[in-house]
Amino acid sequence: MKISVIGCGYLGAVHASSLAKLGHEVVGIDIDQVKVDSLASAHAPFYEPGLPELLAETLAAGTLEFTTDMSRAQGATVHFIAVGTPQQEDSNAADLRFVEAALDAIVPYLTPGDVVVGKSTVPVGTAERLAVQIEAVGAQLAWNPEFLREGYAVKDTISPDRLVYGVRSGDEHSVALLDEVYASVLAQGIPRVITDFATAELVKVAANAFLATKISFINAMAEVAEVTGADVTQLADAIGYDQRIGRRFLNAGLGFGGGCLPKDIRGFMARASELGAGDALNFLGEVDAINLRRRERMVDLCREVLGGTIEGARVAVLGLAFKPDSDDVRDSPALDVAARLAELGADVRATDPQAIETSRRLRPGLNYVDSAREAAKDADVVLVLTEWREYRAIDPSELDSVVSVRAILDGRNCLDPVQWREAGWTYRALGRP
Ligand code: NAD
């Protein structure tokens, strides 16, 4: 099948190359010439494990191409919209300008029978509003939200937990085309939910609201643990054995960030308020607040370990990405804490296995170094803020002779306190004695 994917960022680039891998002929279209040039030469413009290999394979096979020329969408039957929907600068609501611009740009190239498929995360009611423009030219609109996790994006696209199709009642044509797009996914027995636009849009934000709530729940327990001497990691293990609760997403620490969870829960609250159902989501305001308080707490812990003064202290920051296996620093708690400490006068040396360049773009004033060892040189305290495998595996002896003071703050509860304390380090973490 001939497919176009409009918007080739973290979502679209992986979607386009995965569909090419699944046997389709795909054109990826983006307005960013630099990104398009990079993708077209099989260089992923961001870090995503497996993506460079997938790009190389499908570009060489001739089943995938990238362009900035929207007219190249003509002739495709299914057109995925994968452009960004960031938070508006002056409110909590989602900014739909990119989705609207992408639709305006694609409409002239649609032919009757084509299906435009929204993948971007949008406020409920968006598809209903936008469908008019698509239907006016004899094409159909469907909404097919995406649940991929950065770091596992290729696997999640080829083998997702489920597929959700939001379509107009009785629109069997769109369902049949989507089934053809995802034929090899469906052949794995992956469940598919066929529903209306509003439910499809809500499934995505509801899933993210649930995950954010689970993280903030355990971080709220961490706050209580901190004033009682309890250990939140043991608490999480113990409640996680209950299968109704489950241990996943119960890791207390610096909290969530990235290009999805924070803006999605805020956008969800804003949309619910517009619809007169704001009270139903008031709790998400608390979820957001708990999450942001963890960053403040990390700064306080740092001050405490430094004996009350951050100014002038040399602070090593290991980890800047919002999570491991990604270079994404959008709303990253780690980068935020590093920047706050620098603003308070600390001499911060920050590093990350993949996210230095993306961090530099957002926070050009921070001091970046290439390795954990370099960051830790003469440090008064070492902070682990993203749980990259290589930081979890650091042995205290690797840093013993490098640091000025043997003090480590574990912002992700990813280190072994016993190991560090036995090696003579001061070990402190969020939610643990
Ligand atoms: P992104 O910023 O990485 O990518 C968006 C891309 O769209 C950019 O490359 C931009 O240049 C391009 N673009 C903007 N306007 C365009 C236009 N008019 N025509 C063509 N291209 C245009 O964002 P992302 O992380 O890929 O997210 C995209 C959407 O997917 C968002 O709605 C997001 O919430 C959702 N989503 C993202 C993830 C994720 O893990 N990143 C997961 C699920 C859903």
Side-chain angles (χ1 to χ4, degrees):
M1 187 179 255
K2 284 195 172 172
I3 295 171
S4 76
V5 176
I6 296 140
C8 297
Y10 284 92
L11 189 169
V14 173
H15 195 64
S17 47
S18 299
L19 292 182
K21 168 85 178 169
L22 294 178
H24 302 295
E25 213 173 289
V26 184
V27 55
I29 305 172
D30 202 289
I31 47 172
D32 182 337
Q33 185 71 55
V34 175
K35 199 174 273 188
V36 163
D37 290 345
S38 166
L39 287 164
S41 57
H43 289 110
F46 49 87
Y47 178 72
E48 182 60 51
L51 181 60
E53 295 79 3
L54 192 58
L55 285 169
E57 182 188 336
T58 49
L59 287 163
T63 50
L64 178 64
E65 59 176 317
F66 291 98
T67 177
T68 54
D69 178 3
M70 187 60 88
S71 72
R72 300 295 307 281
Q74 200 157 23
T77 318
V78 174
H79 309 271
F80 284 98
I81 306 293
V83 299
T85 49
Q87 184 178 336
Q88 285 181 11
E89 269 171 28
D90 52 357
S91 88
N92 271 345
D95 184 347
L96 293 178
R97 273 179 306 167
F98 303 106
V99 172
E100 286 158 3
L103 283 186
D104 288 345
I106 186 77
V107 163
Y109 302 107
L110 295 176
T111 42
D114 284 4
V115 179
V116 175
V117 184
K119 282 209 89 59
S120 304
T121 305
V122 292
V124 59
T126 303
E128 188 65 47
R129 176 167 66 82
L130 300 177
V132 181
Q133 189 183 2
I134 310 289
E135 288 161 0
V137 296
Q140 300 297 318
L141 182 67
W143 220 268
N144 170 221
E146 178 58 57
F147 304 93
L148 69 81
R149 296 161 299 166
E150 284 172 25
Y152 304 89
V154 174
K155 182 202 155 282
D156 286 351
T157 304
I158 290 174
S159 274
D161 290 336
R162 75 303 214 181
L163 290 169
V164 176
Y165 304 170
V167 294
R168 279 245 189 263
S169 164
D171 179 9
E172 284 169 17
H173 174 68
S174 296
V175 172
L177 285 182
L178 281 169
D179 279 352
E180 204 177 323
V181 169
Y182 293 121
S184 39
V185 175
L186 293 168
Q188 302 164 45
I190 281 158
R192 102 200 194 291
V193 177
I194 299 174
T195 184
D196 50 80
F197 290 152
T199 308
E201 291 163 330
L202 279 174
V203 168
K204 174 63 195 175
V205 283
N208 275 356
F210 190 89
L211 294 172
T213 303
K214 203 168 173 190
I215 297 170
S216 278
F217 173 82
I218 200 64
N219 282 333
M221 296 306 108
E223 285 191 27
V224 180
E226 279 156 14
V227 294
T228 55
D231 183 331
V232 74
T233 64
Q234 290 185 331
L235 180 144
D237 288 343
I239 63 172
Y241 285 123
D242 184 329
Q243 288 181 12
R244 293 169 303 174
I245 297 173
R247 182 64 177 80
R248 295 182 69 191
F249 266 65
L250 276 189
N251 292 324
L254 206 46
F256 58 81
C260 291
L261 253 51
K263 62 109 174 150
D264 285 353
I265 61 166
R266 291 173 199 150
F268 195 13
M269 283 187 278
R271 183 63 182 142
S273 288
E274 278 170 20
L275 295 166
D279 285 351
L281 299 186
N282 279 341
F283 74 97
L284 287 178
E286 206 48 54
V287 165
D288 199 11
I290 293 166
N291 192 53
L292 296 175
R293 276 206 298 273
R294 292 287 78 191
R295 304 176 187 188
E296 206 55 59
R297 170 68 188 148
M298 194 69 206
V299 172
D300 289 346
L301 197 57
C302 192
R303 185 182 289 109
E304 205 181 305
V305 169
L306 288 168
T309 316
I310 288 174
E311 198 175 352
R314 190 167 272 198
V315 177
V317 167
L318 311 189
L320 294 163
F322 86 99
K323 67 170 190 173
D325 298 313
S326 175
D327 66 355
D328 198 344
V329 292
R330 290 178 286 184
D331 212 337
S332 168
L335 182 57
D336 190 17
V337 167
R340 287 181 196 210
L341 290 169
E343 275 157 24
L344 291 168
D347 174 7
V348 174
R349 286 158 189 236
T351 190
D352 187 283
Q354 294 294 338
I356 291 178
E357 282 320 307
T358 46
S359 297
R360 209 191 298 275
R361 268 177 248 148
L362 274 189
R363 299 277 187 183
L366 271 182
N367 187 5
Y368 300 99
V369 295
D370 288 332
S371 68
R373 226 182 131 75
E374 253 180 280
K377 193 167 178 310
D378 300 328
D380 296 310
V381 61
V382 177
L383 276 59
V384 176
L385 301 183
T386 311
E387 65 278 35
W388 283 93
R389 197 168 298 115
E390 60 193 83
Y391 300 153
R392 293 198 314 252
I394 291 180
D395 191 276
S397 64
E398 293 172 46
L399 301 183
D400 275 351
S401 59
V402 178
V403 295
S404 167
V405 179
R406 291 181 187 180
I408 190 148
L409 303 190
D410 182 359
R412 295 292 178 180
N413 283 309
C414 63
L415 305 174
D416 178 2
V418 176
Q419 184 192 16
W420 285 85
R421 285 181 179 140
E422 278 180 356
W425 285 65
T426 298
Y427 170 94
R428 297 292 301 274
L430 297 170
R432 288 172 115 173

